[in-house]
mmCIF file of all heavy atoms in Angstrom:
data_model
loop_
_atom_site.group_PDB
_atom_site.id
_atom_site.type_symbol
_atom_site.label_atom_id
_atom_site.label_comp_id
_atom_site.label_asym_id
_atom_site.label_seq_id
_atom_site.Cartn_x
_atom_site.Cartn_y
_atom_site.Cartn_z
ATOM 1 N N LEU A 1 5.914 3.163 10.553
ATOM 2 C CA LEU A 1 4.471 3.325 10.555
ATOM 3 C C LEU A 1 3.820 1.949 10.655
ATOM 4 O O LEU A 1 4.338 0.969 10.112
ATOM 5 C CB LEU A 1 4.005 4.020 9.278
ATOM 6 C CG LEU A 1 4.643 5.372 8.962
ATOM 7 C CD1 LEU A 1 4.024 5.957 7.692
ATOM 8 C CD2 LEU A 1 4.512 6.332 10.119
ATOM 9 N N SER A 2 2.693 1.924 11.334
ATOM 10 C CA SER A 2 1.969 0.676 11.512
ATOM 11 C C SER A 2 0.540 0.832 11.012
ATOM 12 O O SER A 2 -0.077 1.875 11.218
ATOM 13 C CB SER A 2 1.974 0.290 12.993
ATOM 14 O OG SER A 2 1.257 -0.908 13.195
ATOM 15 N N CYS A 3 0.048 -0.211 10.369
ATOM 16 C CA CYS A 3 -1.328 -0.230 9.889
ATOM 17 C C CYS A 3 -2.004 -1.466 10.467
ATOM 18 O O CYS A 3 -1.659 -2.595 10.099
ATOM 19 C CB CYS A 3 -1.369 -0.264 8.367
ATOM 20 S SG CYS A 3 -3.022 -0.492 7.671
ATOM 21 N N ALA A 4 -2.931 -1.233 11.383
ATOM 22 C CA ALA A 4 -3.682 -2.336 11.981
ATOM 23 C C ALA A 4 -4.924 -2.591 11.141
ATOM 24 O O ALA A 4 -5.736 -1.694 10.936
ATOM 25 C CB ALA A 4 -4.054 -1.993 13.418
ATOM 26 N N ALA A 5 -5.031 -3.824 10.675
ATOM 27 C CA ALA A 5 -6.142 -4.173 9.791
ATOM 28 C C ALA A 5 -7.126 -5.089 10.507
ATOM 29 O O ALA A 5 -6.726 -5.976 11.257
ATOM 30 C CB ALA A 5 -5.608 -4.864 8.539
ATOM 31 N N SER A 6 -8.388 -4.866 10.272
ATOM 32 C CA SER A 6 -9.420 -5.740 10.821
ATOM 33 C C SER A 6 -10.461 -5.986 9.739
ATOM 34 O O SER A 6 -10.585 -5.226 8.793
ATOM 35 C CB SER A 6 -10.051 -5.125 12.063
ATOM 36 O OG SER A 6 -10.666 -3.894 11.741
ATOM 37 N N GLY A 7 -11.204 -7.059 9.900
ATOM 38 C CA GLY A 7 -12.198 -7.398 8.893
ATOM 39 C C GLY A 7 -11.638 -8.400 7.903
ATOM 40 O O GLY A 7 -10.683 -9.112 8.179
ATOM 41 N N ARG A 8 -12.181 -8.422 6.712
ATOM 42 C CA ARG A 8 -11.850 -9.432 5.728
ATOM 43 C C ARG A 8 -10.597 -9.085 4.935
ATOM 44 O O ARG A 8 -10.594 -9.039 3.705
ATOM 45 C CB ARG A 8 -13.025 -9.636 4.780
ATOM 46 C CG ARG A 8 -14.269 -10.160 5.476
ATOM 47 C CD ARG A 8 -15.445 -10.229 4.513
ATOM 48 N NE ARG A 8 -15.210 -11.107 3.383
ATOM 49 C CZ ARG A 8 -15.428 -12.418 3.390
ATOM 50 N NH1 ARG A 8 -15.886 -13.000 4.496
ATOM 51 N NH2 ARG A 8 -15.209 -13.151 2.312
ATOM 52 N N THR A 9 -9.498 -8.860 5.645
ATOM 53 C CA THR A 9 -8.252 -8.495 4.969
ATOM 54 C C THR A 9 -7.681 -9.631 4.150
ATOM 55 O O THR A 9 -6.930 -9.414 3.211
ATOM 56 C CB THR A 9 -7.207 -8.026 5.981
ATOM 57 O OG1 THR A 9 -7.028 -9.051 6.962
ATOM 58 C CG2 THR A 9 -7.642 -6.745 6.658
ATOM 59 N N PHE A 10 -8.087 -10.879 4.481
ATOM 60 C CA PHE A 10 -7.542 -12.014 3.749
ATOM 61 C C PHE A 10 -8.040 -12.028 2.317
ATOM 62 O O PHE A 10 -7.498 -12.710 1.458
ATOM 63 C CB PHE A 10 -7.895 -13.316 4.450
ATOM 64 C CG PHE A 10 -9.373 -13.528 4.637
ATOM 65 C CD1 PHE A 10 -10.163 -14.048 3.626
ATOM 66 C CD2 PHE A 10 -9.987 -13.193 5.831
ATOM 67 C CE1 PHE A 10 -11.513 -14.234 3.797
ATOM 68 C CE2 PHE A 10 -11.337 -13.375 6.012
ATOM 69 C CZ PHE A 10 -12.105 -13.901 4.991
ATOM 70 N N GLY A 11 -9.108 -11.260 2.056
ATOM 71 C CA GLY A 11 -9.630 -11.190 0.695
ATOM 72 C C GLY A 11 -8.854 -10.254 -0.193
ATOM 73 O O GLY A 11 -9.031 -10.259 -1.414
ATOM 74 N N SER A 12 -7.972 -9.454 0.386
ATOM 75 C CA SER A 12 -7.200 -8.489 -0.404
ATOM 76 C C SER A 12 -5.959 -9.139 -0.997
ATOM 77 O O SER A 12 -5.357 -10.013 -0.384
ATOM 78 C CB SER A 12 -6.795 -7.302 0.461
ATOM 79 O OG SER A 12 -7.909 -6.470 0.726
ATOM 80 N N ASP A 13 -5.599 -8.681 -2.184
ATOM 81 C CA ASP A 13 -4.387 -9.161 -2.844
ATOM 82 C C ASP A 13 -3.194 -8.333 -2.392
ATOM 83 O O ASP A 13 -2.188 -8.869 -1.937
ATOM 84 C CB ASP A 13 -4.572 -9.052 -4.362
ATOM 85 C CG ASP A 13 -3.456 -9.713 -5.129
ATOM 86 O OD1 ASP A 13 -2.697 -10.500 -4.531
ATOM 87 O OD2 ASP A 13 -3.319 -9.438 -6.338
ATOM 88 N N PHE A 14 -3.341 -7.021 -2.472
ATOM 89 C CA PHE A 14 -2.265 -6.118 -2.064
ATOM 90 C C PHE A 14 -2.674 -5.298 -0.843
ATOM 91 O O PHE A 14 -3.801 -4.809 -0.743
ATOM 92 C CB PHE A 14 -1.922 -5.143 -3.196
ATOM 93 C CG PHE A 14 -0.886 -5.665 -4.152
ATOM 94 C CD1 PHE A 14 -1.262 -6.378 -5.272
ATOM 95 C CD2 PHE A 14 0.462 -5.429 -3.921
ATOM 96 C CE1 PHE A 14 -0.305 -6.860 -6.155
ATOM 97 C CE2 PHE A 14 1.418 -5.907 -4.802
ATOM 98 C CZ PHE A 14 1.040 -6.627 -5.927
ATOM 99 N N LEU A 15 -1.716 -5.130 0.052
ATOM 100 C CA LEU A 15 -1.800 -4.147 1.129
ATOM 101 C C LEU A 15 -0.671 -3.156 0.879
ATOM 102 O O LEU A 15 0.483 -3.581 0.727
ATOM 103 C CB LEU A 15 -1.641 -4.819 2.494
ATOM 104 C CG LEU A 15 -2.695 -5.869 2.852
ATOM 105 C CD1 LEU A 15 -2.332 -6.564 4.150
ATOM 106 C CD2 LEU A 15 -4.068 -5.229 2.947
ATOM 107 N N SER A 16 -1.021 -1.886 0.815
ATOM 108 C CA SER A 16 -0.009 -0.914 0.386
ATOM 109 C C SER A 16 -0.052 0.359 1.205
ATOM 110 O O SER A 16 -1.009 0.618 1.934
ATOM 111 C CB SER A 16 -0.227 -0.557 -1.099
ATOM 112 O OG SER A 16 -0.020 -1.692 -1.922
ATOM 113 N N TRP A 17 1.008 1.129 1.037
ATOM 114 C CA TRP A 17 1.098 2.463 1.626
ATOM 115 C C TRP A 17 1.175 3.492 0.493
ATOM 116 O O TRP A 17 1.920 3.310 -0.483
ATOM 117 C CB TRP A 17 2.348 2.593 2.490
ATOM 118 C CG TRP A 17 2.262 1.865 3.794
ATOM 119 C CD1 TRP A 17 2.657 0.588 4.054
ATOM 120 C CD2 TRP A 17 1.767 2.391 5.027
ATOM 121 N NE1 TRP A 17 2.429 0.275 5.362
ATOM 122 C CE2 TRP A 17 1.884 1.370 5.996
ATOM 123 C CE3 TRP A 17 1.233 3.620 5.423
ATOM 124 C CZ2 TRP A 17 1.494 1.536 7.324
ATOM 125 C CZ3 TRP A 17 0.849 3.789 6.740
ATOM 126 C CH2 TRP A 17 0.975 2.761 7.678
ATOM 127 N N PHE A 18 0.416 4.549 0.669
ATOM 128 C CA PHE A 18 0.450 5.695 -0.217
ATOM 129 C C PHE A 18 0.758 6.929 0.627
ATOM 130 O O PHE A 18 0.643 6.901 1.847
ATOM 131 C CB PHE A 18 -0.898 5.897 -0.920
ATOM 132 C CG PHE A 18 -1.166 4.929 -2.045
ATOM 133 C CD1 PHE A 18 -1.481 3.614 -1.774
ATOM 134 C CD2 PHE A 18 -1.100 5.342 -3.358
ATOM 135 C CE1 PHE A 18 -1.730 2.710 -2.803
ATOM 136 C CE2 PHE A 18 -1.355 4.460 -4.402
ATOM 137 C CZ PHE A 18 -1.669 3.135 -4.113
ATOM 138 N N ARG A 19 1.120 8.022 -0.031
ATOM 139 C CA ARG A 19 1.315 9.272 0.690
ATOM 140 C C ARG A 19 0.842 10.444 -0.147
ATOM 141 O O ARG A 19 0.873 10.396 -1.374
ATOM 142 C CB ARG A 19 2.780 9.455 1.081
ATOM 143 C CG ARG A 19 3.752 9.644 -0.080
ATOM 144 C CD ARG A 19 5.192 9.693 0.435
ATOM 145 N NE ARG A 19 6.160 9.905 -0.637
ATOM 146 C CZ ARG A 19 7.483 9.870 -0.447
ATOM 147 N NH1 ARG A 19 7.979 9.624 0.768
ATOM 148 N NH2 ARG A 19 8.290 10.070 -1.457
ATOM 149 N N GLN A 20 0.412 11.472 0.572
ATOM 150 C CA GLN A 20 -0.058 12.694 -0.066
ATOM 151 C C GLN A 20 0.708 13.863 0.520
ATOM 152 O O GLN A 20 0.581 14.163 1.714
ATOM 153 C CB GLN A 20 -1.558 12.869 0.156
ATOM 154 C CG GLN A 20 -2.175 14.003 -0.619
ATOM 155 C CD GLN A 20 -3.689 13.931 -0.606
ATOM 156 O OE1 GLN A 20 -4.289 12.994 -0.077
ATOM 157 N NE2 GLN A 20 -4.336 14.909 -1.205
ATOM 158 N N ALA A 21 1.520 14.487 -0.306
ATOM 159 C CA ALA A 21 2.364 15.586 0.138
ATOM 160 C C ALA A 21 1.542 16.864 0.299
ATOM 161 O O ALA A 21 0.484 17.009 -0.330
ATOM 162 C CB ALA A 21 3.487 15.809 -0.865
ATOM 163 N N PRO A 22 2.021 17.797 1.110
ATOM 164 C CA PRO A 22 1.288 19.048 1.323
ATOM 165 C C PRO A 22 1.044 19.797 0.019
ATOM 166 O O PRO A 22 1.961 19.934 -0.800
ATOM 167 C CB PRO A 22 2.212 19.846 2.239
ATOM 168 C CG PRO A 22 3.069 18.840 2.907
ATOM 169 C CD PRO A 22 3.249 17.739 1.924
ATOM 170 N N GLY A 23 -0.177 20.238 -0.171
ATOM 171 C CA GLY A 23 -0.510 21.009 -1.355
ATOM 172 C C GLY A 23 -0.722 20.197 -2.612
ATOM 173 O O GLY A 23 -1.003 20.765 -3.666
ATOM 174 N N LYS A 24 -0.593 18.882 -2.538
ATOM 175 C CA LYS A 24 -0.785 18.030 -3.714
ATOM 176 C C LYS A 24 -2.102 17.277 -3.610
ATOM 177 O O LYS A 24 -2.482 16.825 -2.534
ATOM 178 C CB LYS A 24 0.367 17.046 -3.860
ATOM 179 C CG LYS A 24 1.680 17.687 -4.275
ATOM 180 C CD LYS A 24 2.686 16.631 -4.675
ATOM 181 C CE LYS A 24 3.956 17.253 -5.245
ATOM 182 N NZ LYS A 24 4.929 16.225 -5.696
ATOM 183 N N GLU A 25 -2.766 17.129 -4.723
ATOM 184 C CA GLU A 25 -4.021 16.399 -4.749
ATOM 185 C C GLU A 25 -3.805 14.902 -4.886
ATOM 186 O O GLU A 25 -4.590 14.111 -4.381
ATOM 187 C CB GLU A 25 -4.902 16.904 -5.890
ATOM 188 C CG GLU A 25 -5.431 18.301 -5.704
ATOM 189 C CD GLU A 25 -6.464 18.662 -6.743
ATOM 190 O OE1 GLU A 25 -6.803 17.786 -7.565
ATOM 191 O OE2 GLU A 25 -6.933 19.805 -6.731
ATOM 192 N N GLU A 26 -2.739 14.538 -5.586
ATOM 193 C CA GLU A 26 -2.561 13.111 -5.844
ATOM 194 C C GLU A 26 -1.989 12.412 -4.628
ATOM 195 O O GLU A 26 -1.264 12.993 -3.826
ATOM 196 C CB GLU A 26 -1.652 12.887 -7.066
ATOM 197 C CG GLU A 26 -0.247 13.423 -6.941
ATOM 198 C CD GLU A 26 -0.132 14.837 -7.440
ATOM 199 O OE1 GLU A 26 -1.158 15.547 -7.485
ATOM 200 O OE2 GLU A 26 0.993 15.232 -7.776
ATOM 201 N N ARG A 27 -2.348 11.158 -4.542
ATOM 202 C CA ARG A 27 -1.859 10.288 -3.483
ATOM 203 C C ARG A 27 -0.936 9.282 -4.174
ATOM 204 O O ARG A 27 -1.380 8.508 -5.030
ATOM 205 C CB ARG A 27 -3.041 9.601 -2.815
ATOM 206 C CG ARG A 27 -2.779 9.056 -1.438
ATOM 207 C CD ARG A 27 -4.066 8.600 -0.782
ATOM 208 N NE ARG A 27 -4.889 9.725 -0.351
ATOM 209 C CZ ARG A 27 -6.011 9.586 0.348
ATOM 210 N NH1 ARG A 27 -6.436 8.375 0.666
ATOM 211 N NH2 ARG A 27 -6.707 10.640 0.723
ATOM 212 N N ASP A 28 0.335 9.290 -3.803
ATOM 213 C CA ASP A 28 1.343 8.501 -4.504
ATOM 214 C C ASP A 28 1.655 7.185 -3.814
ATOM 215 O O ASP A 28 1.754 7.127 -2.578
ATOM 216 C CB ASP A 28 2.646 9.297 -4.646
ATOM 217 C CG ASP A 28 2.465 10.566 -5.467
ATOM 218 O OD1 ASP A 28 1.684 10.539 -6.438
ATOM 219 O OD2 ASP A 28 3.097 11.585 -5.113
ATOM 220 N N PHE A 29 1.847 6.159 -4.613
ATOM 221 C CA PHE A 29 2.237 4.852 -4.099
ATOM 222 C C PHE A 29 3.621 4.930 -3.464
ATOM 223 O O PHE A 29 4.538 5.545 -4.026
ATOM 224 C CB PHE A 29 2.241 3.853 -5.250
ATOM 225 C CG PHE A 29 2.749 2.499 -4.899
ATOM 226 C CD1 PHE A 29 1.925 1.573 -4.270
ATOM 227 C CD2 PHE A 29 4.051 2.133 -5.191
ATOM 228 C CE1 PHE A 29 2.384 0.313 -3.944
ATOM 229 C CE2 PHE A 29 4.530 0.865 -4.886
ATOM 230 C CZ PHE A 29 3.689 -0.041 -4.256
ATOM 231 N N VAL A 30 3.770 4.305 -2.311
ATOM 232 C CA VAL A 30 5.064 4.241 -1.632
ATOM 233 C C VAL A 30 5.598 2.806 -1.644
ATOM 234 O O VAL A 30 6.715 2.545 -2.079
ATOM 235 C CB VAL A 30 4.953 4.733 -0.174
ATOM 236 C CG1 VAL A 30 6.287 4.589 0.544
ATOM 237 C CG2 VAL A 30 4.460 6.177 -0.134
ATOM 238 N N ALA A 31 4.788 1.882 -1.150
ATOM 239 C CA ALA A 31 5.220 0.489 -1.067
ATOM 240 C C ALA A 31 3.993 -0.403 -0.953
ATOM 241 O O ALA A 31 2.956 0.025 -0.444
ATOM 242 C CB ALA A 31 6.142 0.274 0.131
ATOM 243 N N GLY A 32 4.154 -1.645 -1.409
ATOM 244 C CA GLY A 32 3.054 -2.589 -1.326
ATOM 245 C C GLY A 32 3.570 -3.993 -1.082
ATOM 246 O O GLY A 32 4.720 -4.322 -1.419
ATOM 247 N N ILE A 33 2.721 -4.808 -0.486
ATOM 248 C CA ILE A 33 3.062 -6.198 -0.251
ATOM 249 C C ILE A 33 1.905 -7.072 -0.732
ATOM 250 O O ILE A 33 0.735 -6.783 -0.460
ATOM 251 C CB ILE A 33 3.393 -6.468 1.236
ATOM 252 C CG1 ILE A 33 3.887 -7.893 1.441
ATOM 253 C CG2 ILE A 33 2.206 -6.150 2.141
ATOM 254 C CD1 ILE A 33 4.561 -8.107 2.807
ATOM 255 N N ARG A 34 2.266 -8.128 -1.477
ATOM 256 C CA ARG A 34 1.253 -9.024 -2.004
ATOM 257 C C ARG A 34 1.028 -10.163 -1.015
ATOM 258 O O ARG A 34 1.991 -10.866 -0.667
ATOM 259 C CB ARG A 34 1.691 -9.568 -3.354
ATOM 260 C CG ARG A 34 0.586 -10.246 -4.122
ATOM 261 C CD ARG A 34 0.942 -10.441 -5.569
ATOM 262 N NE ARG A 34 -0.256 -10.574 -6.384
ATOM 263 C CZ ARG A 34 -0.272 -10.594 -7.705
ATOM 264 N NH1 ARG A 34 0.875 -10.490 -8.370
ATOM 265 N NH2 ARG A 34 -1.399 -10.711 -8.347
ATOM 266 N N GLN A 35 -0.165 -10.346 -0.573
ATOM 267 C CA GLN A 35 -0.429 -11.283 0.502
ATOM 268 C C GLN A 35 -0.167 -12.731 0.088
ATOM 269 O O GLN A 35 0.299 -13.533 0.901
ATOM 270 C CB GLN A 35 -1.871 -11.132 0.993
ATOM 271 C CG GLN A 35 -2.138 -9.802 1.650
ATOM 272 C CD GLN A 35 -3.255 -9.907 2.669
ATOM 273 O OE1 GLN A 35 -3.022 -10.113 3.850
ATOM 274 N NE2 GLN A 35 -4.483 -9.772 2.195
ATOM 275 N N THR A 36 -0.448 -13.082 -1.133
ATOM 276 C CA THR A 36 -0.315 -14.476 -1.554
ATOM 277 C C THR A 36 1.138 -14.920 -1.682
ATOM 278 O O THR A 36 1.474 -16.057 -1.347
ATOM 279 C CB THR A 36 -1.005 -14.682 -2.903
ATOM 280 O OG1 THR A 36 -0.519 -13.700 -3.833
ATOM 281 C CG2 THR A 36 -2.512 -14.550 -2.765
ATOM 282 N N THR A 37 1.996 -13.999 -2.104
ATOM 283 C CA THR A 37 3.386 -14.392 -2.362
ATOM 284 C C THR A 37 4.373 -13.770 -1.381
ATOM 285 O O THR A 37 5.516 -14.208 -1.281
ATOM 286 C CB THR A 37 3.804 -13.962 -3.780
ATOM 287 O OG1 THR A 37 3.770 -12.531 -3.854
ATOM 288 C CG2 THR A 37 2.869 -14.555 -4.821
ATOM 289 N N GLY A 38 3.936 -12.728 -0.693
ATOM 290 C CA GLY A 38 4.857 -11.987 0.167
ATOM 291 C C GLY A 38 5.751 -11.036 -0.610
ATOM 292 O O GLY A 38 6.636 -10.398 -0.033
ATOM 293 N N GLY A 39 5.535 -10.943 -1.900
ATOM 294 C CA GLY A 39 6.342 -10.057 -2.718
ATOM 295 C C GLY A 39 6.155 -8.602 -2.326
ATOM 296 O O GLY A 39 5.058 -8.188 -1.971
ATOM 297 N N THR A 40 7.244 -7.844 -2.366
ATOM 298 C CA THR A 40 7.192 -6.437 -1.994
ATOM 299 C C THR A 40 7.561 -5.554 -3.176
ATOM 300 O O THR A 40 8.357 -5.945 -4.037
ATOM 301 C CB THR A 40 8.135 -6.151 -0.817
ATOM 302 O OG1 THR A 40 9.460 -6.567 -1.168
ATOM 303 C CG2 THR A 40 7.689 -6.887 0.433
ATOM 304 N N TYR A 41 6.966 -4.383 -3.187
ATOM 305 C CA TYR A 41 7.125 -3.464 -4.311
ATOM 306 C C TYR A 41 7.309 -2.058 -3.750
ATOM 307 O O TYR A 41 6.661 -1.696 -2.769
ATOM 308 C CB TYR A 41 5.889 -3.512 -5.211
ATOM 309 C CG TYR A 41 5.580 -4.899 -5.701
ATOM 310 C CD1 TYR A 41 4.880 -5.806 -4.906
ATOM 311 C CD2 TYR A 41 5.997 -5.330 -6.957
ATOM 312 C CE1 TYR A 41 4.614 -7.088 -5.332
ATOM 313 C CE2 TYR A 41 5.719 -6.619 -7.398
ATOM 314 C CZ TYR A 41 5.030 -7.488 -6.582
ATOM 315 O OH TYR A 41 4.765 -8.763 -7.021
ATOM 316 N N TYR A 42 8.198 -1.281 -4.385
ATOM 317 C CA TYR A 42 8.520 0.039 -3.867
ATOM 318 C C TYR A 42 8.552 1.082 -4.975
ATOM 319 O O TYR A 42 8.925 0.787 -6.118
ATOM 320 C CB TYR A 42 9.896 0.011 -3.189
ATOM 321 C CG TYR A 42 9.966 -0.919 -2.011
ATOM 322 C CD1 TYR A 42 10.440 -2.219 -2.150
ATOM 323 C CD2 TYR A 42 9.525 -0.499 -0.754
ATOM 324 C CE1 TYR A 42 10.486 -3.091 -1.077
ATOM 325 C CE2 TYR A 42 9.573 -1.358 0.330
ATOM 326 C CZ TYR A 42 10.052 -2.647 0.160
ATOM 327 O OH TYR A 42 10.087 -3.498 1.241
ATOM 328 N N ALA A 43 8.194 2.295 -4.601
ATOM 329 C CA ALA A 43 8.368 3.417 -5.514
ATOM 330 C C ALA A 43 9.858 3.723 -5.627
ATOM 331 O O ALA A 43 10.615 3.545 -4.661
ATOM 332 C CB ALA A 43 7.613 4.637 -4.993
ATOM 333 N N ASP A 44 10.271 4.198 -6.783
ATOM 334 C CA ASP A 44 11.685 4.506 -6.988
ATOM 335 C C ASP A 44 12.187 5.550 -5.987
ATOM 336 O O ASP A 44 13.348 5.515 -5.575
ATOM 337 C CB ASP A 44 11.908 5.009 -8.420
ATOM 338 C CG ASP A 44 11.770 3.908 -9.450
ATOM 339 O OD1 ASP A 44 11.866 2.720 -9.080
ATOM 340 O OD2 ASP A 44 11.562 4.238 -10.628
#
């Protein structure tokens, strides 16, 4: 999957992916990347 960002993205700390499964109201964290350090984080 690709996410094209435009605008003041440099002001963000985290850029992340979430997902919402069929029939569920909640949107769950999948993965994130911290712009300042490049650190990556994942759901179990």
Side-chain angles (χ1 to χ4, degrees):
L1 305 182
S2 179
C3 173
S6 61
R8 297 175 60 86
T9 56
F10 57 83
S12 287
D13 189 15
F14 272 90
L15 299 173
S16 295
W17 286 92
F18 284 73
R19 66 185 181 186
Q20 188 167 356
K24 289 192 174 182
E25 291 189 3
E26 62 269 23
R27 200 171 286 186
D28 298 323
F29 174 81
V30 177
I33 186 165
R34 193 165 203 171
Q35 294 207 94
T36 52
T37 64
T40 56
Y41 304 82
Y42 298 95
D44 289 341

